[in-house]
Amino acid sequence: MNEEQQWIDDARRGDQEAFEQLVRRYEKRVFALTSRMCRNPADAEEAAQEAFLAAWQGLAFFRGDSSFSTWLYRLASNACVDLLRREGRHQAAAGPSLDDGENPYDPEDPAPSPHALAERAELRREIEAGLAALPPEYRQVLVLRELHQCTYDEIAAICSLDLGTVKSRISRGRKQLRKILLASGNFSEAAASNQTGKEGCP
């Protein structure tokens, strides 16, 4: 039995220290996800706390059909969507933080010029604004796919959706985001298509 499984088993029996170990292992990844789906750190922190609380309360029902991390991502993602819907924030919510080197919209450049840096910053702002305008269900799958590089199967498990729905939402979300980027006036059809049509890493 590996260390994580031991923590899970102990936490199921009410061992709070074991659960704290799980929290420490996953808190950065969970907060990265909630930060990308919520407008501000306060909302992201609230969603992350709700996810860990739900995990603590639901451990007895965790059957292990999926990995613990997938299950925790599902709780975090759902907490974000619930918060956005409950408070009607999805139209104003800012998009993900695209400064961590993981985003597919930011091509690698070992020595970018000041002009390239300025263009990159503008691109980030436009994409953030575009994601901000998407409904939560589209933002949810695009963040998981494009920024966390989850596979379609992983997204289906995290969001409790069938594979066809996942593919449909990603496709529709990309089309909506492309329209928003084109409407901003700063993107050509080809550039917007390149930004939103990326398949991501399986």
Side-chain angles (χ1 to χ4, degrees), residues 3 7 24 34 37 39 44 58 104 109 118 130 136 153 159 179 186 193:
E3 184 179 50
W7 290 339
R24 280 193 284 271
T34 60
M37 291 187 66
R39 176 172 176 76
D109 187 344
D153 287 335
C159 300
K179 287 180 181 178
N186 293 326
S193 295

Side-chain angles (χ1 to χ4, degrees), residues 85-108:
R85 285 176 172 164
R86 184 169 67 243
E87 302 188 11
R89 296 178 183 175
H90 73 268
Q91 291 297 333
S97 171
L98 300 178
D99 296 319
D100 57 8
E102 297 177 1
N103 76 86
Y105 306 108
D106 195 352
E108 292 183 7

Side-chain angles (χ1 to χ4, degrees), residues 78-196:
N78 288 342
C80 291
V81 171
D82 288 345
L83 186 150
L84 290 167
R85 285 176 172 164
R86 184 169 67 243
E87 302 188 11
R89 296 178 183 175
H90 73 268
Q91 291 297 333
S97 171
L98 300 178
D99 296 319
D100 57 8
E102 297 177 1
N103 76 86
Y105 306 108
D106 195 352
E108 292 183 7
D109 187 344
S113 67
H115 180 69
L117 288 172
E119 287 187 340
R120 188 177 302 178
E122 178 63 22
L123 175 61
R124 290 193 188 103
R125 285 192 292 270
E126 293 295 338
I127 291 171
E128 287 171 358
L131 285 170
L134 295 177
E137 59 268 23
Y138 292 157
R139 183 211 305 265
Q140 181 184 40
V141 295
L142 283 180
V143 166
L144 290 169
R145 178 62 176 169
E146 303 291 4
L147 301 181
H148 286 266
Q149 281 89 54
C150 293
T151 66
Y152 290 119
D153 287 335
E154 288 170 338
I155 296 170
I158 290 167
C159 300
S160 299
L161 298 170
D162 63 69
L163 199 57
T165 300
V166 168
K167 291 180 179 179
S168 175
R169 287 188 181 182
I170 288 175
S171 176
R172 292 176 182 176
R174 283 172 174 164
K175 287 177 181 177
Q176 286 197 21
L177 181 56
R178 186 179 299 122
K179 287 180 181 178
I180 293 166
L181 294 178
L182 290 170
S184 72
N186 293 326
F187 294 86
S188 67
E189 177 68 44
S193 295
N194 287 338
Q195 296 301 335
T196 59

